[in-house]
Amino acid sequence: MGIGNISPPETLLGSLDIFVFSLIAGLLIYWFFFRKKPEPVLDLKTFPAVPPPIRETSFIEKMKKTNRNVVVFYGSQTGTAEEFANRLAKDAHRYGMKGMATDPEEYDMSELSRLKEIPNSMAVFCMATYGEGDPTDNAQEFYDWMQGTDDDLEGVNFAVFGLGNKTYEHFNATGKYTDKRFAELGGKRVFDLGLGDDDSNLEEDFISWKEQFWPAVCEFFGVEATGEESSIRQFELVVHNDINMNQVYTGEMGRLKSFQTQKPPFDSKNLFLAPVTVNRKLNRGGNRHLMHIELDVMDSKIRYDAGDHVAVYPTNDAAVVSRIGERLGVDLDTVISLKNLDEESNKKHPFPCPSTYRTALTHYLDINNTPRKNVLYELSQYTSDPQEQENMRKMASASPEGKALYQSWVLDSERNILLLPQLQARYYSIASSNKVHPTSIHICAVVIEYTTKTGRVYKGVATNWLKNKEVTENGHKHTVPMYVRRSQFRLPFKPSNPVIMTGPGTGIAPFVGFIQERAWQKEQGKDVGETILYFGCRHKNEDFLYQQELEEFERAGVLTQLNVAFSRDQEHKIYVQHLLKKNKEQLWKLIHSNNAHIYVCGDARNMARDVHTAFYEIAEEVGGLTHTQAVDYFKKLMTKGRYLQDVWS
């Protein structure tokens, strides 16, 4: 176990693997078992019910009560921004300051103007950007407040680190807006805006920014580093030897027993267990597994629109979890709580507690993720071998040599470590229309599985988990914890507007929903404009996804044009951008004269860029625009909501 996938017994380990394995095993035993005495467990049934404490909604008052002067807010969708915020808050004590990481959704953000009441105070924002430049779910209200407020923030010190991806058109839009808006409202920028790029190495960008940020803070406030080291993970293990199992979490993200008693509305803290009614393989050949899954949401009151995303919460492989238990020599069904001893932390437990070891490893910990550099640095503090300590600290640094070592030894090899942030939701574009399937949500996905350079077999957690949600004849239905996330990826308000859809591979997912909806609109007697699809796959006889359905839509006149690029059915590869260029005159007329809406879904790093370029060239060759004019032309279409992307890297 430890840094490195749980590999088969015959796999040979290098000296560093063996060392780190031994190190982490020791640490786990320490963290999970080393304690003076198990705390006595109170029988809660013998005590009268105690009303829940009143939640503090004023972060200013909390800061005053706890003597803090640095507040780090995070807008986080997958947990990375939250982790960065916790690291910054923890770092503050090294400079004689005291910080706390805070979810903006939990506090009244209009109190920011009061931050000046606290001497030598500062607000830091770790803001991730989601989708088409949108804020994350937990930062939406804060974003709305920034847009509408005219509060005077003079005297409020701030700094912003943004988390984004350069393959997206609106790179780091939320971080940029937060930095710009606070300056407009009179805030004092302590340090320059940091722009993290997940297409490159977000961790490296954060470390590089942080290493310059703190010296700037020292200069701004006239403080000096204390030289004290910080450790983020400080937990006390409590073993519950006699506890009512009704008080134990079994995988819920929020309310205890919410899986047993399902109550709407359903969201990221209250998941709906949707039964799987269909799970079929889409491709007829090849070495990949592409699947179509249907989730029953009849009893949930969940509503969605074509183009929305479904968030599913996977679980880790039961066999891997069992092997971890065997390696550690623990009874996985032991009920435990991990109590956070770090008074700087805003979370009492790292995951819902009490739970069993099995539940924690199955539902809450991302045991397949690669360790971040701060974890390596912390582990290095326990390393007795000077050479190994040097290597771990080197990998944790921002030096070129350290970056290269981290890339090759950790990232390229897909090594992992047990002590990680929580297992996060996976988002899939919904492949159905609510007008046609009001009680069912469809998913189209490809199962992730490949061999790394070191011979380790890497399996995607969510897609392999979904693949195994087979529909049986015995009446038992597997369920998927899920909720719906709204998207701006929408069909035109007027059905008469033409639509041009480009989606290779599983990027076809939202367009299946769009086409279903256009068919429904036509049945309602509405004037439906041209509906054109550009789809790409490798081989016509292997992975032409939804071929039968698409060809039926074409015969019915719902799909005006079905253009398919089979990239590997001929000597020279043909992609969707080549077909776009082939039909350039027609496309330019639809876009420039007929108010067509353009949609792109799929790979952001290559396909979306190539499609961009194809449209630029069409504007230049047919529309007579210069390259600069063409780029500006399509940027304006994006601003107007006529060029929308649902892409991933």
Side-chain angles (χ1 to χ4, degrees):
M1 203 193 68
I3 296 185
N5 287 354
I6 304 299
S7 50
E10 65 270 18
T11 300
L12 295 176
L13 299 177
S15 59
L16 192 54
D17 292 81
I18 295 171
F19 166 77
V20 176
F21 166 81
S22 304
L23 168 66
I24 296 174
L27 283 173
L28 288 173
I29 293 170
Y30 172 83
W31 276 325
F32 282 148
F33 298 105
F34 186 74
R35 61 195 186 280
K36 293 179 180 178
K37 291 181 181 178
E39 288 187 0
V41 178
L42 299 178
D43 186 351
L44 300 180
K45 294 181 288 186
T46 63
F47 290 85
V50 179
I54 299 175
R55 186 170 67 88
E56 176 68 78
T57 60
S58 170
F59 69 88
I60 296 293
E61 295 306 316
K62 182 175 179 179
M63 290 177 73
K64 289 181 176 179
K65 289 176 184 176
T66 56
N67 194 32
R68 304 179 194 239
N69 58 352
V70 177
V71 57
V72 189
F73 294 101
Y74 54 84
S76 189
Q77 198 69 31
T78 63
T80 305
E82 180 180 358
E83 182 189 337
F84 287 178
N86 277 302
R87 287 159 67 174
L88 287 171
K90 186 68 180 174
D91 280 347
H93 91 284
R94 297 170 59 191
Y95 304 94
M97 308 176 86
K98 197 171 183 182
M100 69 178 190
T102 303
D103 186 341
E105 193 173 36
E106 297 181 356
Y107 292 94
D108 179 3
M109 297 302 285
S110 66
E111 287 201 331
L112 275 163
S113 60
R114 293 184 54 204
L115 188 61
K116 64 188 101 175
E117 297 174 10
I118 300 174
N120 294 326
S121 60
M122 171 177 59
V124 185
F125 299 87
C126 291
M127 306 299 290
T129 296
Y130 184 86
E132 290 292 294
D134 302 321
T136 57
D137 290 349
N138 76 309
Q140 184 64 60
E141 289 184 15
F142 170 52
Y143 190 84
D144 294 341
W145 173 80
M146 284 194 292
Q147 288 184 311
T149 190
D150 58 358
D151 286 3
D152 181 6
L153 297 186
E154 185 177 353
V156 175
N157 305 311
F158 76 94
V160 180
F161 181 81
L163 296 82
N165 189 309
K166 278 189 177 174
T167 58
Y168 291 72
E169 177 68 21
H170 305 281
F171 173 58
N172 257 313
T174 304
K176 290 175 180 176
Y177 180 77
T178 303
D179 181 75
K180 173 175 169 286
R181 189 65 179 133
F182 267 68
E184 290 175 345
L185 294 171
K188 177 66 175 177
R189 187 183 289 109
V190 175
F191 187 61
D192 295 338
L193 167 67
L195 298 176
D197 179 16
D198 197 34
D199 185 49
S200 179
N201 192 318
L202 194 58
E203 173 83 359
E204 298 284 5
D205 294 338
F206 175 68
I207 291 175
S208 296
W209 179 83
K210 187 165 71 83
E211 288 182 351
Q212 299 175 67
F213 167 73
W214 284 116
V217 169
C218 289
E219 184 178 352
F220 186 89
F221 290 107
V223 296
E224 294 182 1
T226 61
E228 295 180 31
E229 297 289 349
S230 61
S231 180
I232 294 175
R233 291 164 174 78
Q234 299 176 20
F235 301 121
E236 178 184 5
L237 177 73
V238 179
V239 176
H240 303 281
N241 295 314
D242 182 18
I243 189 171
N244 185 337
M245 293 306 291
N246 287 326
Q247 300 166 0
V248 179
Y249 282 87
T250 58
E252 307 93 326
M253 291 298 164
R255 178 174 57 86
L256 184 66
K257 299 303 172 188
S258 62
F259 284 172
Q260 282 76 14
T261 307
Q262 297 259 271
K263 297 178 182 178
F266 296 101
D267 54 27
S268 61
K269 303 290 176 62
N270 183 36
L271 307 177
F272 178 66
L273 295 179
V276 177
T277 57
V278 174
N279 186 345
R280 63 184 173 92
K281 187 177 181 180
L282 285 171
N283 53 316
R284 298 186 292 273
N287 55 8
R288 298 184 302 163
H289 185 102
L290 295 109
M291 55 192 174
H292 172 87
I293 292 175
E294 298 184 10
L295 306 177
D296 182 2
V297 294
M298 180 180 291
D299 300 323
S300 66
K301 298 185 179 179
I302 288 175
R303 300 292 178 264
Y304 73 95
D305 290 307
D308 282 342
H309 298 143
V310 57
V312 303
Y313 283 74
T315 60
N316 289 309
D317 189 320
V320 176
V321 170
S322 295
R323 290 181 65 188
I324 291 173
E326 291 172 7
R327 291 282 184 92
L328 289 176
V330 299
D331 178 358
L332 289 174
D333 295 316
T334 301
V335 180
I336 61 158
S337 290
L338 275 184
K339 181 181 177 183
N340 199 333
L341 298 179
D342 182 4
E343 62 179 23
E344 308 297 327
S345 175
N346 63 328
K347 288 189 175 182
K348 186 177 179 181
H349 306 286
F351 48 77
C353 290
S355 73
T356 64
Y357 285 119
R358 189 184 307 279
T359 296
L361 293 169
T362 302
H363 295 274
Y364 299 136
L365 292 173
D366 194 347
I367 59 178
N368 287 315
N369 210 337
T370 50
R372 295 198 180 276
K373 292 194 168 191
N374 65 301
V375 176
L376 294 177
Y377 184 81
E378 288 186 50
L379 293 178
S380 73
Q381 299 178 52
Y382 300 91
T383 307
S384 57
D385 186 298
Q387 183 59 51
E388 303 297 355
Q389 183 179 73
E390 180 184 347
N391 284 338
M392 296 183 79
R393 293 203 171 192
K394 188 181 295 179
M395 284 190 287
S397 74
S399 69
E401 187 181 0
K403 290 179 181 179
L405 184 59
Y406 181 78
Q407 180 69 41
S408 63
W409 199 80
V410 177
L411 298 182
D412 292 345
S413 301
E414 297 282 2
R415 299 178 193 271
N416 56 53
I417 184 173
L418 177 60
L419 297 172
L420 284 167
Q422 277 188 291
L423 193 59
Q424 298 294 331
R426 270 61 167 182
Y427 297 88
Y428 298 94
S429 300
I430 295 176
S432 54
S433 165
N434 65 316
K435 301 294 192 301
V436 181
H437 300 282
T439 62
S440 181
I441 287 176
H442 300 179
I443 295 173
C444 172
V446 58
V447 176
I448 305 299
E449 182 174 344
Y450 58 87
T451 302
T452 70
K453 294 178 180 179
T454 56
R456 291 175 171 83
V457 176
Y458 178 84
K459 292 186 176 183
V461 174
T463 53
N464 281 276
W465 170 76
L466 284 171
K467 177 186 176 183
N468 293 326
K469 297 283 184 180
E470 297 177 351
V471 179
T472 60
E473 300 294 332
N474 60 11
H476 172 73
K477 290 184 178 179
H478 292 285
T479 58
V480 171
M482 50 76 67
Y483 75 97
V484 168
R485 189 185 196 279
R486 295 293 178 180
S487 169
Q488 300 301 316
F489 202 71
R490 290 281 185 269
L491 279 169
F493 179 75
K494 293 182 180 180
S496 59
N497 287 130
V499 297
I500 302 163
M501 304 171 289
T502 304
T506 56
I508 197 175
F511 301 139
V512 174
F514 279 9
I515 297 165
Q516 289 176 0
E517 189 143 324
R518 299 282 271 193
W520 177 85
Q521 290 171 339
K522 201 165 187 177
E523 289 174 0
Q524 303 301 307
K526 296 182 179 180
D527 178 19
V528 178
E530 291 191 59
T531 305
I532 300 173
L533 174 66
Y534 287 85
F535 171 66
C537 60
R538 297 179 181 181
H539 302 283
K540 182 176 182 178
N541 295 328
E542 287 187 5
D543 52 1
F544 187 170
L545 308 184
Y546 299 104
Q547 179 179 359
Q548 183 178 345
E549 294 94 321
L550 294 175
E551 290 177 346
E552 287 178 1
F553 280 127
E554 186 180 32
R555 284 192 292 269
V558 175
L559 255 183
T560 313
Q561 284 185 33
L562 173 58
N563 306 282
V564 187
F566 303 109
S567 64
R568 303 182 186 182
D569 275 350
Q570 60 286 311
E571 184 179 351
H572 300 291
K573 292 183 179 178
I574 298 176
Y575 297 115
V576 286
Q577 61 267 23
H578 300 135
L579 299 188
L580 290 169
K581 288 293 299 294
K582 186 177 179 181
N583 299 328
K584 58 186 178 181
E585 286 84 4
Q586 178 210 18
L587 289 172
W588 180 249
K589 181 180 178 182
L590 288 171
I591 296 166
H592 192 62
S593 303
N594 297 352
N595 202 39
H597 288 230
I598 303 168
Y599 301 89
V600 181
C601 182
D603 167 46
R605 184 170 297 166
N606 299 308
M607 182 277 301
R609 287 178 176 175
D610 292 339
V611 168
H612 271 324
T613 300
F615 278 118
Y616 296 156
E617 291 174 353
I618 289 171
E620 294 168 36
E621 295 169 14
V622 184
L625 305 183
T626 65
H627 180 72
T628 301
Q629 289 172 331
V631 172
D632 185 58
Y633 182 92
F634 284 100
K635 280 188 176 180
K636 287 178 180 176
L637 290 189
M638 291 178 179
T639 302
K640 294 176 181 177
R642 282 184 51 204
Y643 192 124
L644 295 174
Q645 299 182 95
D646 183 359
V647 294
W648 54 85
S649 60

